[in-house]
Amino acid sequence: MLAVYAGVIDRDDPLSGLRIDDRPEPEARDGWTTVTVKAASLNHHDLWSLRGVGLVEDRLPMILGCDAAGVDAEGNEVIVHSVINDPSWRGDETLDPRRSLLSERYPGTFAERVAVPRWNLLPKPPELSFEQASCLPTAWLTAYRMLFTRGAIPPGATILVQGATGGVATALTVLGAAAGIRVWVTGRSEEKRAQALELGADQAFEAGARLPERVDAVMDTTGQATWAHSVRSLKPGGKIVISGATTGDAPPADLTRIFFLQLSVIGSTMGTRDELGRLIRLCVDKGVRPAISATLPLTEAREGFAAMLRGDTGGKIVFTHS
Ligand SMILES: NC(=O)c1ccc[n+]([C@@H]2O[C@H](COP(=O)([O-])OP(=O)(O)OC[C@H]3O[C@@H](n4cnc5c(N)ncnc54)[C@H](OP(=O)(O)O)[C@@H]3O)[C@@H](O)[C@H]2O)c1
């Protein structure tokens, strides 16, 4: 079957290891089933994998892709939850120390078919297209947990989202606005800031700009490039919710400011199957839809990877099977 996979790991030139070619059909395992993929969305995770972060050489070649929507063996339209747990694990799936995401230990979703534990399938509502549904399991689920579970941000609070047009950033903006949260955004260009406003941000600022007032919480996936600004932008008692470190993970820690202003730093990763179910329902009930900047046939996946590497995202990039 046709697949997009990591053939070689190259930390500095991730696209050099990207391959689009035939791979064997997924392996049958006890309690697993096979989904025919209709749409799969790209995440920064896929670039990390090509750089060897979360993917080790001896697992190559590895089919990339965490997110998918498709049709299961019985003909049901489904969304795939990407967190694969140890079979003995009970409780919050994101806390399982042996968890992995599709494409880390087991082949991912950028293929005609993907094998997943049956438990990882959720029904795709007819209101969402396959393309929209394929955006939810990683970037959108991560944003949902950052805002509502880990951040516990109430309606009326003001948050700052670092980054305007990434997958998680656009999800934070759209979901935050839908929940009555006042969303401020930083974006690296005029065009990116304009897009954030279109998606429902209340105000958009240049990266690192001084804000009109301090905020209740910051949502940060950028890491090193924005950390100092995130810490400086918080009210006393405020919180930073962090789920990524795209630009590096070793900024000065600003410890004095953190203890003196009693700030909280909260880590967040992916989301549970239940949270994905609630996110799907929220999208249907509130008419919320993922921002998709490009839909490409899987054969042209390299173009999507290159756009993300350039920082040219504008929302989610989706691959389909023509
Ligand atoms: N912990 C988890 O479970 C989890 C889940 C999802 C994602 N993540 C992580 O979160 C990060 C974002 O993921 P994504 O899929 O949303 O990625 P993406 O679509 O490539 O978005 C990258 C974001 O980073 C922002 N950014 C700001 N300064 C940047 C700089 N100097 N260089 C590059 N980007 C910069 C971009 O802002 P502009 O709009 O200004 O370009 C954009 O919003 C990744 O590191 C990813 O691994 C973690």
Side-chain angles (χ1 to χ4, degrees):
M1 65 176 179
L2 182 70
V4 172
Y5 62 95
V8 173
I9 282 170
D10 189 324
R11 218 186 146 70
D12 302 317
D13 181 12
L15 297 196
S16 67
L18 187 67
R19 306 278 183 271
I20 304 178
D21 209 341
D22 274 345
R23 293 296 305 147
E25 290 288 332
E27 248 177 75
R29 289 186 168 81
D30 256 8
W32 289 48
T33 185
T34 298
V35 172
T36 301
V37 178
K38 295 288 187 188
S41 77
L42 181 64
N43 289 286
H44 214 94
H45 183 277
D46 302 303
L47 282 178
W48 286 126
S49 300
L50 289 165
R51 291 187 196 274
V53 178
L55 179 62
V56 287
E57 295 270 355
D58 62 12
R59 294 209 178 116
L60 298 180
M62 176 59 83
I63 299 177
L64 298 168
C66 303
D67 291 343
V71 177
D72 73 7
E74 286 77 42
N76 305 302
E77 297 190 351
V78 293
I79 299 178
V80 174
H81 183 223
S82 185
V83 181
I84 310 296
N85 289 105
D86 187 84
S88 65
W89 180 258
R90 298 290 175 270
D92 183 327
E93 301 96 73
T94 65
L95 298 177
D96 174 3
R98 283 190 287 217
R99 74 180 186 276
S100 67
L101 295 187
L102 287 171
S103 80
E104 291 177 350
R105 197 171 303 150
Y106 304 103
T109 58
F110 294 164
E112 291 174 73
R113 281 165 290 283
V114 62
V116 291
R118 201 175 291 280
W119 193 80
N120 284 53
L121 300 184
L122 289 96
K124 180 188 87 62
E127 291 87 346
L128 297 179
S129 66
F130 283 109
E131 288 84 351
Q132 290 164 341
S134 78
C135 298
L136 300 183
T138 297
W140 274 64
L141 179 59
T142 299
Y144 179 97
R145 185 171 171 93
M146 289 173 79
L147 284 171
F148 305 124
T149 308
R150 302 290 290 148
I153 312 295
T158 304
I159 63 166
L160 177 68
V161 176
Q162 296 284 17
T165 59
V168 180
T170 52
L172 286 164
T173 300
V174 175
L175 288 173
I181 295 165
R182 185 160 69 147
V183 181
W184 291 357
V185 166
T186 61
R188 293 180 290 166
S189 70
E190 191 68 52
E191 197 188 345
K192 285 172 181 285
R193 292 190 288 276
Q195 191 189 351
L197 295 174
E198 269 169 39
L199 291 177
D202 179 69
Q203 292 195 60
F205 303 91
E206 287 182 25
R210 190 187 174 90
L211 304 179
E213 62 187 66
R214 294 211 160 89
V215 299
D216 298 297
V218 180
M219 304 288 132
D220 198 331
T221 60
T222 306
Q224 199 147 324
T226 50
W227 180 256
H229 184 247
S230 295
V231 174
R232 266 201 324 273
S233 299
L234 281 176
K235 282 179 186 165
K239 45 188 151 188
I240 301 181
V241 185
I242 175 165
S243 72
T246 309
T247 61
D249 69 352
D254 292 312
L255 294 178
T256 304
R257 201 170 177 96
I258 287 173
F259 73 72
F260 196 68
L261 295 181
Q262 302 189 71
L263 307 179
S264 303
V265 177
I266 300 172
S268 194
T269 280
M270 294 295 287
T272 63
R273 185 182 186 282
D274 279 356
E275 285 166 333
L276 180 56
R278 289 200 291 274
L279 168 62
I280 294 167
R281 202 164 53 231
L282 189 156
C283 289
V284 170
D285 290 353
K286 297 290 166 206
V288 167
R289 297 291 182 270
I292 296 175
S293 60
T295 303
L296 301 167
L298 194 65
T299 45
E300 289 167 31
R302 184 175 293 276
E303 201 184 300
F305 276 78
M308 180 170 276
L309 191 60
R310 290 194 305 271
D312 200 1
T313 38
K316 294 288 291 172
I317 296 168
V318 175
F319 303 135
T320 55
H321 298 270
S322 41

